[in-house]
Amino acid sequence: MKIENAKQLKSHALELGMRQAKGPRTRILVSMGTCGIAANTHPVLTALREEIGKRDLQDVFEVVETGCMGLCHSEPSIEVVDRVEGTTTLYGNVTAGQAAAIVEAGAYEAAGVEILDRTWYCPEGEENQAGARQARVVLRNSGRIDPENLEACLIAGGYQGLARALTEMKPAQVIEEIAESGLRGRGGGGFPTGLKWGFAAAQSSTEKYVICNADEGDPGAFMDRAVLEGDPHCVLEAMAIAGYAVGAQSGVIYIRAEYPLAIRRLRMAIEQARASGFLGADILGTGFGFDIQIKYGAGAFVCGEETALIHSIEGTRGEPTFKPPFPAVSGLWKKPTVVNNVETFANVPAILRKGAGWFKTIGTPECPGTKVFALAGKVKKVGLVEVPMGTTLREIIFGVGGGIREDRQFKAVQTGGPSGGCLKDDNLDTPITYESLRALGSMMGSGGMIVMDVDDCMVNVAKFFLDFTLDESCGKCTPCRIGNKRLHEMLEQVCAGRGSHETLAKLKNLSHTIRDTALCGLGQTSPNPVLSTMIQFEDEYVEHIEQGKCRAGVCRHLISYAINDDCVGCTLCARNCPVDCISGERRQKHHIDQDKCIKCGVCHDLCKFHAIDKN
Amino acid sequence: MKKSGACLKGPIGSDNLINQQPEKRKALAEFIGGLPIGDDRERNRGYLIECLHKAQELFGYLPESVQLFVADHLRLHLSEVYGVISFYSYFTTVPTGKYRINVCMGTACFVRGADRILEELKRHLGIDEGETSENGKFSIGGLRCVGACSLAPVVMVNDKVYGNVAPGKVLDIINDCE
């Protein structure tokens, strides 16, 4: 149905809401993001539907496939909301076999199924509830609505921000509202969004573009995918608002080809938005026209840099170019272009709907709003979390994340991916903002947050990120192409115990040179993982070179495995050794042939008697 | 940024794959025919990457004959097309294996031992990352974060996800591929 104007949108949304209120009393929300699907949610979904069908309860239960709830630690996860009783139950690690019990219980808690603490998940509207640790702005609909259903989106207030912008505000007022809200780029740089839009709006060109950067490349961050899979319409709405504000008629979403589900849902959402008159010519009868096309990335991390991204859309090698000119002046096809990432855009409709004043009540004065983090690594509750800016690392890791796995000792947390750095326990009480992280030698980045314990070697972690940068460097400028290669070689020396104090001095020196001379953001920030670990964990570097010791037992050249007297001769290790280097009779102590051992650690992981020592 | 590319052997396009599979050739021609290709070379180039995606989806990889075909139809030089293919890691000029074994290279998988899994895979199959085994059955690759961080380390074989993979389980995964 085509929505003709803003008034009709409001009444239509109300009508849909009322119709939903008359529908089935119990809604079963099933988290069906890529991660949920990988954790085998499909059989659970099928079993729930069959169970409801078998009992002929279609009028009572409605099963809704939603986007990611962010509960990666307990997928498959489902939520049962009963409107009549006003109850809601969140289940985790659900199996197909438990479907009957869940349907049977309805509004009550099903016995034998794991029940999760709902304050962890905390959807929009419940952020002020006691014990709530999150606040959902970006992920407000993710896990709450069926992303493939426009009606569900409209009930949740979809496109009302656009309607307000188009009918009640002039373009300059929209920019003012965004500037007033204090929203800053969530891709990592933290540039004020209102300012960026203002630059593009000030250009006189009649042809302008709005680009959504969905080429999420940080190895360990997946919040943009969650938004696109869970609430694609909010990104479309935000892009149309940006188009109106800066005077652009076309938008481009540049998305990774490796996100098939997100692409499918976006395509579907664009079709729906066009059919309903939220995209295309004469949106909501205001005369404003805006349309969006999708362009695919092809696996190049550097294309997250805005000039490189624009070149990639133009069909050339995605190499960055020197700024200025900034894209806001000369971007796609040399026309003024606004580039924002998915998470930034996802904030925009809510700001327009609820106002800049509301937005500023969340977060800190310099950094209003929230930030989504992909919390992973050695933490108990791995997942996608959204917290107000200014939350401390400790609160995220030990509060939301539930602490370190197996209650081991915390060692470091890595933020900002390949551009960021590692922070240690002294830094845990720092409130997170763009500035505070930068002051500590790390970065906000796109929001990867990897927790490490005492089993992780910080030199090796720095090497991992450099491996990534080496692979992803486009090769255009020398500092990044050759400098990082040399850094990597030096780190390999340190990991092999062959480095000296001179190596460390050179590492530091070259890192500073790359940071100061590389062409784009990727190159300039690529030495951050090295610099930050060298500052925070200098003793580990020194141990590697002076004593040939890797305290975490990770660097292969510096460790060896040996069997101690606790060995009972169960032969488990010998049977599983991939290179057959363990020998020994049954019920006799075994022996490792050090010349053949590849130090894979399989024996150490398998031994039930702690009989294998790592030295 | 890519480790391997096919070197030129014989006259350009002599692999002739494009003509050996007339149906796919037709599908590709129709796809390109449906795009608004005009006289503006710059704007035509904007369709190059989606054409290459389509071509790789159809043929599985992008040998020279396919590159030439795309270049001709978009009125671009072969060198421009090759330049783009060699830049982006998603495109490949050599056939991949029937079973594409990809290890997640995300940070969460790394801290939980993905590098050990990759080493084991390479050792068992005797090929390096980005290579295909001689019988065309297996290829090994890295994969960017799939977002299944709670299952780390993760290995994907085509579309199937294996979670919590230990080095000792690698052989099982390989054996599972038939």
Side-chain angles (χ1 to χ4, degrees), chain B residues 11-59:
Chain B
I12 289 171
S14 56
D15 58 272
N16 210 22
L17 182 78
I18 189 94
N19 293 318
Q20 287 159 9
Q21 306 196 352
E23 276 176 22
K24 292 179 180 172
R25 182 195 159 108
K26 189 165 159 252
L28 184 58
E30 277 170 9
F31 177 80
I32 300 176
L35 299 169
I37 305 296
D39 292 328
D40 187 339
R41 267 173 49 83
E42 293 291 312
R43 299 269 170 146
N44 288 351
R45 197 184 284 127
Y47 299 103
L48 174 57
I49 291 177
E50 50 194 280
C51 290
L52 294 175
H53 272 295
K54 185 71 190 177
Q56 184 160 305
E57 182 193 316
L58 288 166
F59 292 95

Side-chain angles (χ1 to χ4, degrees), chain A residues 459 462-463 466 486-496 503 507 530 541:
Chain A
V459 186
K463 189 157 78 78
L466 264 189
R486 295 287 96 87
L487 279 187
H488 189 261
E489 285 166 1
M490 285 190 265
L491 283 177
E492 276 190 327
Q493 280 177 16
V494 176
C495 286
T503 319
L507 261 177
V530 182
Y541 277 82

Side-chain angles (χ1 to χ4, degrees), chain A residues 92-156:
Chain A
N93 298 310
V94 181
T95 61
Q98 294 168 333
I102 291 168
V103 172
E104 177 81 35
Y108 306 97
E109 292 181 352
V113 189
E114 186 182 336
I115 291 165
L116 303 179
D117 176 9
R118 197 156 168 286
T119 55
W120 194 92
Y121 161 47
C122 186
E124 190 193 13
E126 294 181 20
E127 57 269 14
N128 297 325
Q129 181 184 309
R133 298 185 186 276
Q134 302 194 45
R136 297 206 153 197
V137 177
V138 170
L139 299 174
R140 63 191 172 276
N141 284 337
S142 202
R144 309 297 304 154
I145 64 167
D146 176 359
E148 299 184 6
N149 183 345
L150 176 63
E151 294 187 349
C153 164
L154 293 181
I155 295 172

Side-chain angles (χ1 to χ4, degrees), chain A residues 173-194:
Chain A
Q173 289 173 308
V174 176
I175 293 177
E176 210 172 289
E177 181 98 29
I178 296 296
E180 172 64 23
S181 76
L183 177 64
R184 298 169 63 178
R186 298 290 194 253
F191 191 80
T193 307

